[in-house]
C-alpha cells in the first residue's frame, strides 16, 4: 500500500502521495533540500507543520499533483519568486498566462532602476554636501555656498538665489528672442554705414540711404539692422552675471572634479564661450560683422544660448520624471522612429510614382509624408489626382494608427515612473522627518 | 531550548520563536503594546487567539520572520494601514512594489478631498436654505424665493425658472454673437451720418454716400455699421431682466453675505456694468460712439458678457466634475504648459537659426512651433529648405509625443473624479430617500 | 461577566461579544432576522456553524467590531451585495474607497442592460420566425422567405441573398456618387436645349452653344449637365429592385405590424419615395427640371438615398456594438458637445474682440475656433497679430485637452460593450450547439 | 430526517444536504462522476476529504446551494476552467459579470496563438539549421553559410554580414530616393540629344538648346534629365551585390524548397527583375528610354525596389510584434475602415448637397471628408457657407471620436503581444542558457 504523508500549512492540510513526494525530490535544487530533508527525517511522523504563504503553497502542491502552475492573484510576483526558490522550482514552470504577468513585473522593476539610481545619486550628493557644510574651515564654506547655489530646498537663501538666477536666465532668453524681432532692431546710422563699408560698396550705400529716407519699405538683408542699444546693455549684464556665477562655482565646488562635468555645466560654459566669441569678433574687426559670411557663422552659434532654459526646469519634479521616462524608453522611441521612417519612405515613393504633379521628387514627397503622418497637414503640398489622393488617405490613416499604437508604450513608462516617484519622495520625506525629530529629541 | 509560542488567527496557526517575538517587542510603538502585553501576560498559555485580518497577519508575521513586507491584494490600503498601526509598523517597512501602490492610493484619496469638500459645502448650503424655508416670517420667504432661483431640483417652479432664465441667457449670448454679423447690421442712415459728424469729415461723408448709392461694395470701417433696431430692443429686454434678477437676489439672499461673493455673481454684476456703461457712453455723447478710440474701448468690454454662459452649465454634473478635475490637476497642467514652452522656445530658435526664409524672427517662429506642436498646422508658415523641414518634422513628432505623455495624467484625475462622483451622488440620493421614507412612516 | 458567543464559518472562528451581537440585532432587517433567530435559539450552544463566503464574513464581522466596512477584492460586487442583504446592512455602510468600486460596478451593469435587451429582442424575434418557419401553411412560407431576407445566418440561400442585395445597394450608392462627377455627366444636346427652354432664354442659349463649339471652358451652371444614359438605365434597375423588395417584404412579413416600423425600413421607403418623386417631377414637367428652383429642391432630396448604406453594415457585429455604445453614451456625448460649444463661444468672442483682422465677425470666428479645437486647421482663417496668436494658441491647447479628457468616457463604454458582447455571443452559440446536439440525439 | 454529508476541503468544512447532493448528481457529466462515486461509495462515512482549490470549491458549492456562480479573483480563468470540468459544470453556469472576464481571457489566449505559432516556427527552423551545421559534408557547409546569412545572433560573422548587407540595402534605397532629386540629375548632353532623337523632333531640339543656353528656366519634361554618372555606377554595384546574394542563397538553401517562398525573398527577386528589365530596355532600344510611354512604364516599376527596406527591419523585435499585432487585428481594422468609409460617404454626400461651392462633386467631397476626419486638414478644400461649415464641424468631431473609439482595440492587441513576447523571449533565453550550461558540464 502506498504511504500517504500529510503537510499542514497554516491550517490547510494537503495529502502527499509517494508519487508526488518523488516529484518534489526530483526537483534537484539546494533550496528544496531543506523541505525534503525535513520530511524524510521525520518520516515516521507522517504529518508536517509548515509555515509558508497559503495560496502559493496550495498552487505549488497542485502543480506537483500533475496540474499546471499558476501564480495566485493575492501575492506580489517578488514574494512568489521566493516561494518558488524555496521549493526549487524554475520560473519557467509557470503557465503561459501567469508567466507573462510574472516577467512584466520584473521588467518594470528593471526599468524603475534607472529612476532609483538617479534619485539615489542626487540624494547621496546632497547628503555629502550637507555633511561638509556642517564641518569647519574652507571646505565647509565651500559646501555652504555650493548648497545655496545648487540645492534650493536647503535654505531660504538658496530659494531666493534660485529665483534671482532664474530671472536672469529668463532675461537672457528674452534677449535672445527679442533681438530678432523688428520691434527691437534699428537700421544702421549713416555714420556706422559710412565707417564700415568699403568704396566698392559705395553704390549700395547710396541706394540704401535714398530708400530709407523715402521710407519705401524695400526689404533689406537682415544684417543691415542691428539690435537697439538697450538690448546691448542688458546683454552685457547677463554676460557679467553668468561669468561671475561660473567663477564662483569653480571656486566653491566641494565635490571631486569628476562630478563637475554635467550637461548643464557644459551648456553654461558653451553659452559663455559663444557670447565672448561674438563680442571679440565684433571688436577685433568691426567692419566684418556686417559681412554675410562672418555674420552667419557667428549668428548660428547663438543657438547654444537657448539651452540655458534647461537650467530653469531642472528643479521641477515633473521634468525629472519625464527625463527618466524618456531615457528608459529610448528603445521604444527608436522603434517608433524606425516605423515612421519606413512609413515615410514607403509613402513618399508611392506618392512620387503615382505621377501626381504635386510630388516633384521623393525628398519633397517625404516631407509631405511626415506632415501627413503626424496629421499636421500644412497644405503646402497636396495631391490632386485620384491615385495621389488614395495614397494620401492611406498615409493619413497609417499615421493615426502608427502613433496610436506606439505611444501607449511611452505613456506606460511615464505612468510607471510617475507613480513610483511618489513612493520615493514619500520615503525620503519620512526619512528627513525622522532625522529632524531625532535631533529635536536627543538634546533632552 | 527556545520557547515556541503559537498565534492562532481565525484558524491559521503561526509559530512564534523567541527571536521573532523579540523583533515584535522592538517595534517600539504604543499600538503594538496591546499585542505584546497580551502575549506576555498569558505567557504560560503559549497559544493565543487572535481575530485580525487573515492575509495581512500572515504577511506581517512573515515580515517579522525575516522576509519582506508585502501588502495582500485582497485588502484596501486603508484597512492594511490599520493593521500596520496595530502592529506598530511604519508604512516604509513595505517593499517598493507594494509601497508604490500604497502611496498612490492615499494620493488619490487626497485628490478626491477637493471633490468631497466642494460637494459637501454645496449640500450643506442647500440644507441650510431648506431648513430656513421650512420656518416662518421674512427669512422663510427669502429662503423659498432663493431656492427657486438657485436649486432647480428643489421644486417644479424652480425648474421652470431655470429654463426661463437659461432661455434669457441664451438670447443674450445670441445677441452678442449676431450683432457682429453683417446680416444683423445696417449702414448709418443719412440723418445719423449728418448729425453726428463734424464738418472736417464732410468729404468722407460725400465719398461714403456716393459709394453706397452706387452699391460698389467698398469696405467701410466696421463701426460705420450699427446693429439693426430689433436687436437693440431685445438687448434692452435682457438688460431689464438681468437687472431685476440681480435686485431680487440681493433682496432675498438668506445666507451670510460672505457667501454671496462667488465667481458667477461677479460675472453677472460685471456684465451688467458693461451694458450700462455702453448705454451711458452712447447717450451722453452720441457723436463719440462712432469715433474709433471710444468705440474700441467700449467694444472690447463686451467680451465680459460672454462669461454669462457659465450660468448655463453650472447645474450640469459633467461640468462640475470637469471643473474639480481641472482644479486638482493644476500642477500637472502647469508642467505640461512649461513643457510646451520649452519645446516652443527650443524649436523656434532652431527654426530661426536654420536660415529658412519662412522664419523671419523668433516670435513668428514660436507661433509656427505652437501650431505645429498641437498638430493644427494652418499652413501660413512652413519651411522650404531641407534643414528647416528636418526641424519641422522633429517639432511635429515631439508635439505628438508630448501631448500623448502628459494628457493621461489629466485623464486619470477626471476618471477618478467621475467614478467617485457616482458614489457621492448615490449616497446623497439614498439619504434623501431614507429621509422621505421616515417622514412618510412617522405619522402612523 | 460578558457572554462570549463564537461563530465558525468554514473553519474560521470569530468571537462575538454581547456588544457586537447587540449591534447585529440593531440592524433592523428581515434578512438579518434569520441569523439573529438562529443564534438566539441555540443560545445555550454558544458555537454556531455558518456556511457563508469567508472573506466577506470576516469583513462584515470586523465592521460590527467597530472597524470600517471594506469589500474583499476576491469577490464580485454582486455576490457581496447578497452577503450585505443577508446581514441586513445597507450598501452605504461601505467605506468610500470600496463604495466607489461597488457603485461603478452596478452602473456598468445598468449600461450593459441596453446591449442585453437589444440582443435579447433580436434573438427572440429570430426564434419566433424560426418556429413559424417550422410550421405549415401560408404563415410558414412567409416565415421562410422572411428569414431568407432578414437572417443571413439561417441558411445558405439567405447568405447568397445578402450578398446580392448588398451588391445592389453598393451599385445604388455608386450611382449616387458618380452621377455628380464630370466623368459621368454630359452636356445637354442641342435638341434638349431647344425643346426645354423658353424664348426669353434664347440669348443664353446662343451664348451657350457658341461657347461650347469653341470649347472655351467657361463654367456653366451644374444643372446644364445631365448624367449619361448608362447611369440612367442602372438607376432604373436599382429602382425596380428596391420596389420589388419592398413589396415582397410587405407580403411576407410574418410578425405583428408594429415590428415593421424600424429605422431601416423607414429609410428604404423614404429613398424609394425620393426616387419616384424625381422621376415623376421630371416626366410631368420636363422643362422645369432645368430650372434652378425645382432642380435644387429635387436635388437635395437625393441625400436620403445615401442612408441606404446602413443596410450594408447592420449585420456587422462591430457596428452593432458601436451603435449600442453610442446610445449608452448619449449623455456623455452631450456634455462633450456642450463643452465644445462653450469653448467655441468663448474663443470666438475672445478672437473677435482681439481686433485681429482675420476675425471679421463672431460666427466666422466660431468656425475658426471649431477647426482649431479639433486640430484640423484648414488655414483659411488664421490670426496675424500677437494677441490673436496667443488666443489661437490657447484655443489649440484647450482643444487637445478637451478631447483627451472627454473621449476616454466613450472609449470606456465601447470597451465594456465589446468585451461583454463576446460573452453574449459565446453563450448564444453554446445554446445553439446544445439545441442541435439534442435534436441529433433524440431520434435514437 | 434529511441526511447531512460533510465535505472537508483543505480545512474548510461544507454542509451537503440531500437536496444539494441531488443537484450535483444531476449535472450529468463524466468528470463529475468521480466525485459522485467517491461520495456514494463511502456514504456511511459522511465526511469526505477533498484536496481542490479552496475559493473555487467554495464558490461552486455555493452555486449548488442555490446561489449564482462567480469566479474567484485569485485564480486564473484557465485553472477555474479545470475546476468546472471536475464538477461537470458548463462554463455558461457562470454569472454574466464573471463570464465576460472568463471569455475575454480565452479570447486573448486565442489571439496570442498567432504570436506563439509564428515564433515557434522561427525557432524550430533555426534549430534545424543549427543541427545541420553541426553535421558533416555539403549539407553542413550549406547550413553554416545559411545561418551566417539568415541568423545574425548565431555568430559574430553573421552579425558582420548583417551590417554589411543592411548598408547595401540602405545605399540602394538612397539611390532610389536621390535619383529623383534635381541635385543628382543632369540635363541631356548635346550629343545624347542629337543621337537619340528623330528628325521630326528637330524643332523641339532647337527650342530646347536655345532655352538651355539662355538659362531661362523653362520647365522641361522630367525624363529629359538623367541621373548623374556616379549614381549609375553605384546602382551597378548594388545590382551586382543583390544578384550574387540571391545566387548564394539559392545554392546554400538547406531547408525544403517550400520554405524558400517567403514574402522577403519574393521582394528580392522582384526588385532584381525590375532592375534588369530597366537595364535591358535601355540597352536594347536606347532611343525609346526618352519617350514618355516607355519611360513611364519602366519608371513605375521602380516602386518595387522600395520594399527592400523590409529586409532592414525584419530582425527588430518591435517590428515583428507590430506585424503579429496587425495580423491579429485584421478584423478590427476592417471594421474601422468600414466605419471610415461610412462616415466619408455620409459626409461627402451631405457636403455636396449643402450646395457649398467648395464641393463641386461627391468624389472631391470624399477626399475632403477623409482629410477632415483624420484631422490632417490640408486646407485645399474648405466650406464657406453656414450649412457647409456646420457639416464640416460635425465631420471633424466624428473623426476625432471615431478614431478615439476604434484605436484602443488595436492598442489592446499590441499591448497583449508586447507583454507576452517578453515572456516568450525570457523562456527562450533560459532554454539556451540551460543548453549551453549542460554542454559545458557534460564533458567532465
Amino acid at each position: 500500500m502506498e504511504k500517504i504523508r500529510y503537510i499542514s500549512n497554516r491550517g490547510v492540510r494537503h495529502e502527499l502521495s509517494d508519487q508526488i513526494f518523488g516529484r518534489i525530490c526530483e526537483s534537484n535544487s539546494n533550496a528544496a533540500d531543506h523541505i525534503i530533508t525535513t520530511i524524510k527525517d521525520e518520516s515516521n511522523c507522517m504529518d508536517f507543520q509548515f509555515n509558508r504563504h497559503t495560496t502559493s503553497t496550495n498552487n505549488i502542491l497542485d502543480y506537483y499533483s500533475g496540474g499546471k502552475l499558476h501564480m495566485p492573484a493575492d501575492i506580489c510576483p517578488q514574494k512568489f519568486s521566493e516561494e518558488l526558490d524555496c521549493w526549487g522550482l524554475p520560473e519557467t514552470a509557470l503557465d503561459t498566462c501567469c508567466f507573462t504577468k510574472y516577467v512584466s513585473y520584473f521588467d518594470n522593476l528593471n526599468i524603475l532602476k534607472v529612476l532609483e539610481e538617479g534619485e539615489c545619486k542626487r540624494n547621496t550628493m546632497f547628503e555629502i554636501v550637507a555633511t561638509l557644510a556642517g564641518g569647519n574651515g574652507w571646505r565647509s564654506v565651500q559646501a555652504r555656498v555650493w548648497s545655496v547655489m545648487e540645492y534650493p530646498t536647503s535654505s531660504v537663501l538658496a530659494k531666493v538665489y534660485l529665483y534671482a538666477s532664474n530671472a536672469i536666465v529668463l532675461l537672457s532668453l528674452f534677449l535672445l528672442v527679442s533681438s530678432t524681432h523688428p520691434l527691437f532692431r534699428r537700421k544702421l546710422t549713416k555714420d556706422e554705414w559710412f565707417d564700415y563699408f568699403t568704396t566698392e560698396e559705395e553704390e549700395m550705400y547710396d541706394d540704401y540711404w535714398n530708400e530709407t529716407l523715402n521710407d519705401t519699405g524695400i526689404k533689406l538683408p537682415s544684417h543691415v539692422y542691428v539690435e537697439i542699444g538697450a538690448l546691448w546693455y542688458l546683454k552685457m549684464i547677463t554676460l557679467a552675471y553668468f561669468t561671475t556665477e561660473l567663477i564662483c562655482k569653480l571656486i566653491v565646488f566641494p565635490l571631486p572634479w569628476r562630478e563637475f562635468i554635467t550637461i548643464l555645466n557644459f551648456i553654461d560654459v558653451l553659452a559663455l564661450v559663444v557670447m565672448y566669441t561674438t563680442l571679440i569678433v565684433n571688436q577685433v574687426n568691426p567692419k566684418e560683422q556686417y559681412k554675410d559670411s562672418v555674420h552667419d557663422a557667428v549668428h548660428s552659434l547663438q543657438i547654444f544660448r537657448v539651452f540655458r532654459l534647461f537650467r530653469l526646469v531642472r528643479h521641477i519634479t515633473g521634468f525629472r520624471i519625464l527625463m527618466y521616462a524618456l531615457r528608459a524608453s529610448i528603445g521604444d522611441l527608436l522603434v517608433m522612429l524606425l516605423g515612421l521612417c519606413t512609413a515615410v519612405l514607403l509613402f513618399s515613393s508611392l506618392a512620387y510614382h503615382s505621377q501626381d504633379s504635386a510630388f516633384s521628387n521623393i525628398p519633397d514627397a517625404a516631407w509631405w509624408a511626415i506632415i501627413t503622418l503626424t496629421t499636421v497637414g500644412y497644405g503646402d503640398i497636396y495631391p490632386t489626382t485620384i491615385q495621389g489622393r488614395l495614397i494620401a488617405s492611406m498615409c493619413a490613416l497609417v499615421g493615426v494608427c502608427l502613433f496610436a499604437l506606439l505611444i501607449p508604450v511611452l505613456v506606460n513608462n511615464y505612468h510607471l515612473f510617475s507613480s513610483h516617484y511618489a513612493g520615493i519622495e514619500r520615503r525620503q520625506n519620512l526619512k528627513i522627518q525622522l532625522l529632524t525629530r531625532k535631533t529635536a529629541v536627543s538634546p533632552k
Side-chain angles (χ1 to χ4, degrees), chain A residues 385-434:
Chain A
T385 60
I386 289 174
Q387 69 274 28
R389 284 177 171 181
L390 274 176
I391 290 162
S393 305
M394 283 197 310
C395 186
L397 271 176
V398 166
V400 172
C401 293
L402 191 75
F403 286 107
L405 272 173
L406 293 166
I407 279 169
V409 184
L410 298 185
V411 174
N412 188 35
N413 281 348
Y414 182 71
H415 255 284
L416 212 67
F417 277 67
S418 185
S419 63
H420 190 71
Y421 189 84
I424 289 181
E425 211 172 23
R426 177 80 154 267
R427 224 183 263 274
Q428 182 75 11
N429 289 351
L430 283 171
K431 207 169 148 191
I432 291 168
Q433 262 176 42
L434 279 173

Side-chain angles (χ1 to χ4, degrees), chain A residues 2-8 13-25 35-36 39-40 46-48 50 57 60-62 64-65 87:
Chain A
E2 211 188 12
K3 203 162 81 183
I4 305 284
R5 292 173 184 81
Y6 291 97
I7 292 186
S8 281
R13 209 172 179 224
H14 298 274
E15 257 181 48
L16 214 70
S17 69
D18 267 0
Q19 197 191 1
I20 296 170
F21 185 63
R23 279 196 210 121
I24 296 176
C25 293
I35 293 168
I36 297 159
I39 297 174
K40 275 192 181 153
M46 298 292 120
D47 202 340
F48 314 95
F50 267 66
T57 310
I60 288 168
L61 287 172
D62 280 357
Y64 280 123
S65 317
W87 287 93

